[in-house]
Amino acid sequence: MNQRPFHEISDGVLQARDVRDADAMLQHAAELEELGTAEGRALAARTRGSVYLLRDRNTTKALEQFENALELYRGLNDPAGMAKSHRNVAEVYEQLGQFSDALEHFYQALNLYEETGNHYGAARTRRFLGTVLKATGNWVEAFSLFHQALATYNTLGSTRDIALTLNVLGIVLKNSGQYPEALEHFYRSLSLFEELGYHDGVALVTDNIGSVYYMIEDYQLAIEFRERSLRHYESVGDERSVSSILSNIGNVYVVKNDFDRALEYYRRASAIASRMGTQRDVARTTGLILGVLVRKGPSDEADQLLASLDAMSIPDVNTRLYMESSRALLQEQRGMYDESRKTLLSSLMVAQECALPFDEVGIHGQLRDLALKQNDLAAYVEHNNAYQRINEEINGKATTTTLAMQEAERKMAKERQAHEKHLAILHSTLPQHIAERVARGEVVNDHYDNASVIFLDIVGFTDLSSSMKSQDVITLLDNIFTQCDAICEQYNVTKIKTIGDSYMAVAFETANTEQRTANSVVGAANAAIEMMNVTLNEELTKALEKALNKPIIEFRIGIHCGPVTAGVIGTQRMQYDVWGDTVNVASRMESTSEPSKIQISEAFAALLPATSLGDSVERPMQVVERGEIEVKGKGIMTTYWLDRP
């Protein structure tokens, strides 16, 4: 079997990754290794790392592969590969909960993307950075990064990324207690995912909508939305997400005090976690079952579950604290008040060391209630005061965070308005595809080997303008050039500018194939022929007849093709223009043409494909030699007339 080139295998990796086909990814990685190049080995390492992370949940092996890829890309001095590898490494550290390491690598990736002008990569990294900052409680900065990413995605028109970013913005708003705003973002995200037919995204956002309804105590809707999300994940066999959603539904039934239904969902979630063999999820779901059983009172099953949790190594602090809270409640239920107090005080130290105020306040509440049962007034006052103080601090921080986010939103709204105004100006003065490049921060400076330049002017315009009312002249030019604009759009020709009664447009090469020049030449020819047939409305026809004693207007058109340079000049009043000798010759073709005729150069005529000429073509063109003419600055040139037979 012939060995495929790097770019083909690389495309295969991307396609396999998009559909999470681990076997195909590993096959592509093996092919990349066989190439024997550092570039191939680097991408192979990244690909294997992705498989270890996505399929096997093996963060150790994934990190090893990603760090290997990073070193290879450093050796190649490949900033794009380094940026991707830094981001991969950061994602592993994020999953491990090593947020400082994750932030370090994400920031390095962001710097590389910005240095290389990769706006999409920078936006995606900002979104990941925001996720880590959100996890560390830095909601304001996360909120700002998400908005920056969203602005870039809107400019790039990346709908899926817009939907994903709206979703994480909704999570930040939900966590800061801004529930109506959170729902607005989630529903916008949901609508985009539904339009795209991206069902995983629909399920993700649907669960988040359910979480908002849970927070505002609309439990019926919370269950309804989470059940919708559950049905999707069950249909695609995503067991980890199924386990997570089942746990979330169980949480709703707990606050409704429907412990039997809560246990039903928790046990289903736990069974899946056990089958998957992920100890972290097993510990979490076992802890949830234990918490419900303890609420129902002491039981042998609760004791057994607690013993099984004690035998596990549980890295997740929240799961450990929840387990200890259940242990303390069991001890209290059995009258073991001193043991319960010791358990809670030990947990309190852990919560304080890990800076977990929500857990602290819950533990102080349990200690306060326990002190009341023991008639320990001093302990009751101590823990009640701590409970009140931490609650006030939490609420105060939440208020401060909300106000800071609202201020950040106001600032970003002003920036968005300024940006949108800037975009509106760009789109009104530049071709759309050029305006979008300028908006992304690109310096537009392009070279084309063979562009077709069209010049059109109005015959006798000087006499015309002096004989007609000024308003009629303006209306006339607007009418003609508006029709020319529409013709250019129809034939993929770019309008460059108008100068007085002169109209300039260019057909650029459109693809990296041999057909590109033929396409642009045919487009220019068709556009010129259509322009020659521009008609005036009845009012303008009457004004023309009154001024010049004739009801028609005539044009001269000239076309030449060859190399050009195109770019944007100016900063306040930007203009997209085209330069080069080709432009000068095209202008001469127009000035030496005749009324109602299209004069083309020999170079342009030679490039018109035979498929556009002759009787067998639906709308054939006709090229007739004019002969030799004197062209200023060029000498004698052979030119041709272009028309339809």
Side-chain angles (χ1 to χ4, degrees):
M1 184 177 74
N2 293 330
Q3 194 173 62
R4 293 192 296 164
F6 174 83
H7 71 88
E8 281 190 18
I9 307 173
S10 176
D11 289 343
V13 169
L14 291 174
Q15 292 169 10
R17 187 181 296 157
D18 281 344
V19 297
R20 298 189 175 188
D21 188 339
D23 292 336
M25 289 169 71
L26 290 175
Q27 181 181 338
H28 293 316
E31 283 189 80
L32 289 164
E33 289 281 5
E34 289 175 7
L35 291 176
T37 63
E39 184 183 34
R41 291 196 300 274
L43 183 54
R46 282 192 62 230
T47 304
R48 289 197 179 98
S50 296
V51 172
Y52 285 132
L53 201 61
L54 295 172
R55 185 185 69 179
D56 304 331
R57 311 286 179 184
N58 190 325
T59 51
T60 302
K61 287 187 175 181
L63 186 60
E64 179 184 317
Q65 292 291 328
F66 290 144
E67 288 180 334
N68 179 34
L70 181 57
E71 287 305 310
L72 287 166
Y73 283 123
R74 280 186 180 134
L76 290 166
N77 193 26
D78 181 349
M82 289 163 59
K84 292 173 185 175
S85 299
H86 272 302
R87 198 174 68 202
N88 292 145
V89 171
E91 289 170 10
V92 178
Y93 280 128
E94 180 187 359
Q95 289 198 19
L96 292 170
Q98 296 174 225
F99 296 132
S100 60
D101 291 323
L103 288 171
E104 177 187 343
H105 283 278
F106 274 137
Y107 277 117
Q108 289 191 58
L110 180 60
N111 289 335
L112 286 165
Y113 281 128
E114 289 181 331
E115 287 172 8
T116 56
N118 186 333
H119 302 290
Y120 179 78
R124 196 168 181 215
T125 305
R126 284 193 179 93
R127 196 177 81 221
F128 290 140
L129 264 170
T131 302
V132 177
L133 290 167
K134 175 173 66 68
T136 61
N138 193 343
W139 294 347
V140 177
E141 190 172 349
F143 193 65
S144 177
L145 283 167
F146 289 145
H147 268 285
Q148 290 176 46
L150 184 61
T152 302
Y153 291 142
N154 279 321
T155 299
L156 297 173
S158 181
T159 306
R160 178 173 167 178
D161 290 296
I162 292 170
L164 287 167
T165 309
L166 286 169
N167 177 60
V168 291
L169 277 167
I171 293 172
V172 175
L173 289 163
K174 180 199 74 172
N175 290 346
S176 64
Q178 300 180 68
Y179 302 127
E181 294 85 354
L183 280 175
E184 178 190 346
H185 281 72
F186 285 142
Y187 276 114
R188 285 169 59 196
S189 176
L190 180 64
S191 176
L192 290 174
F193 280 135
E194 287 175 338
E195 287 176 16
L196 290 169
Y198 183 50
H199 302 298
D200 280 354
V202 170
L204 173 70
V205 181
T206 300
D207 181 49
N208 285 330
I209 292 172
S211 71
V212 177
Y213 287 123
Y214 172 79
M215 298 299 291
I216 62 177
E217 300 181 8
D218 190 334
Y219 300 130
Q220 181 176 346
L221 279 177
I223 292 172
E224 179 183 324
F225 275 88
R226 284 178 162 167
E227 288 280 7
R228 284 188 207 169
S229 182
L230 176 64
R231 286 193 291 273
H232 166 75
Y233 287 124
E234 286 177 333
S235 70
V236 298
D238 186 344
E239 291 199 318
R240 196 161 194 266
S241 295
V242 168
S243 178
S244 176
I245 302 295
L246 287 168
S247 299
N248 289 340
I249 296 173
N251 294 340
V252 181
Y253 283 113
V254 167
V255 297
K256 293 182 67 173
N257 292 319
D258 189 343
F259 298 137
D260 290 335
R261 291 297 301 276
L263 276 174
E264 174 191 333
Y265 282 93
Y266 286 158
R267 290 188 196 282
R268 287 170 61 190
S270 183
I272 293 170
S274 298
R275 185 165 63 247
M276 292 172 62
T278 52
Q279 183 167 294
R280 180 176 179 177
D281 291 330
V282 170
R284 178 181 57 80
T285 53
T286 302
L288 291 172
I289 295 170
L290 173 64
V292 175
L293 290 173
V294 170
R295 288 191 182 205
K296 296 180 72 175
S299 66
D300 291 340
E301 185 182 2
D303 292 335
Q304 290 167 5
L305 290 177
L306 188 57
S308 70
L309 287 168
D310 284 333
M312 294 182 195
S313 173
I314 305 174
D316 186 74
V317 177
N318 296 107
T319 299
R320 291 206 311 269
L321 289 174
Y322 189 72
M323 176 184 77
E324 292 304 311
S325 173
S326 298
R327 186 196 308 277
L329 188 55
L330 269 176
Q331 291 168 335
E332 180 186 330
Q333 288 170 346
R334 288 175 171 144
M336 302 164 63
Y337 295 147
D338 289 339
E339 288 83 349
S340 178
R341 185 170 182 274
K342 288 179 183 178
T343 299
L344 290 170
L345 288 173
S346 177
S347 295
L348 183 61
M349 289 180 63
V350 173
Q352 289 170 338
E353 288 171 2
C354 297
L356 299 170
F358 288 99
D359 291 283
E360 278 188 70
V361 77
I363 295 167
H364 277 299
Q366 277 189 268
L367 283 164
R368 177 194 61 188
D369 296 342
L370 184 62
L372 188 62
K373 287 187 177 181
Q374 292 181 292
N375 294 316
D376 186 341
L377 182 59
Y380 177 86
V381 172
E382 175 192 350
H383 292 296
N384 187 60
N385 287 342
Y387 179 89
Q388 298 291 344
R389 174 180 56 79
I390 297 171
N391 248 332
E392 288 173 3
E393 288 175 359
I394 291 172
N395 292 332
K397 285 180 181 177
T399 301
T400 301
T401 298
T402 299
L403 291 173
M405 285 173 58
Q406 289 172 346
E407 178 59 30
E409 173 61 26
R410 281 192 289 272
K411 181 180 177 182
M412 287 182 286
K414 287 182 180 178
E415 292 174 353
R416 279 198 303 272
Q417 288 173 358
H419 181 66
E420 287 167 3
K421 183 178 179 181
H422 176 61
L423 284 179
I425 293 171
L426 290 179
H427 281 95
S428 67
T429 57
L430 301 174
Q432 183 175 346
H433 66 288
I434 299 299
E436 289 169 356
R437 290 173 61 188
V438 173
R440 292 196 294 266
E442 288 186 39
V443 175
V444 180
N445 183 3
D446 302 322
H447 175 79
Y448 296 90
D449 292 331
N450 212 323
S452 300
V453 182
I454 306 169
F455 275 95
L456 170 149
D457 84 338
I458 301 172
V459 177
F461 182 74
T462 302
D463 292 339
L464 182 69
S465 59
S466 62
S467 304
M468 295 178 69
K469 295 178 181 178
S470 59
Q471 184 58 49
D472 287 340
V473 173
I474 294 170
T475 303
L476 175 71
L477 290 175
D478 179 66
N479 183 278
I480 293 169
F481 292 154
T482 298
Q483 291 182 67
C484 289
D485 290 347
I487 291 166
C488 284
E489 185 173 353
Q490 179 183 353
Y491 289 104
N492 198 26
V493 174
T494 301
K495 172 189 175 179
I496 303 300
K497 60 187 174 184
T498 61
I499 304 173
D501 66 318
S502 181
Y503 186 96
M504 177 185 175
V506 180
F508 295 109
E509 300 159 332
T510 56
N512 294 320
T513 67
E514 294 180 359
Q515 191 66 23
R516 60 186 184 175
T517 300
N519 289 342
S520 66
V521 167
V522 172
N526 277 315
I529 292 170
E530 293 296 329
M531 288 176 186
M532 193 60 78
N533 296 320
V534 162
T535 58
L536 305 179
N537 60 35
E538 184 178 350
E539 184 179 345
L540 284 171
T541 301
K542 288 180 179 178
L544 194 65
E545 187 169 13
K546 183 177 179 181
L548 298 179
N549 295 320
K550 62 177 183 178
I552 61 169
I553 196 164
E554 294 181 292
F555 307 110
R556 270 195 309 259
I557 294 179
I559 312 176
H560 178 54
C561 60
V564 299
T565 297
V568 175
I569 55 175
T571 54
Q572 297 301 315
R573 299 181 65 181
M574 293 183 179
Q575 181 180 345
Y576 182 63
D577 212 341
V578 178
W579 303 274
D581 187 58
T582 300
V583 176
N584 297 329
V585 174
S587 178
R588 298 284 185 267
M589 289 297 101
E590 175 270 312
S591 62
T592 58
S593 184
E594 295 180 357
S596 299
K597 295 221 174 175
I598 302 169
Q599 181 172 226
I600 62 176
S601 66
E602 189 170 26
F604 186 83
L607 289 174
L608 269 174
T611 52
S612 66
L613 308 170
D615 297 334
S616 62
V617 183
E618 183 179 349
R619 301 186 68 198
M621 301 177 198
Q622 178 176 278
V623 174
V624 177
E625 183 176 343
R626 179 186 186 182
E628 294 182 342
I629 64 168
E630 177 76 25
V631 176
K632 184 178 178 181
K634 302 300 292 183
I636 301 297
M637 292 183 67
T638 300
T639 65
Y640 298 79
W641 299 123
L642 173 69
D643 202 350
R644 294 200 196 280

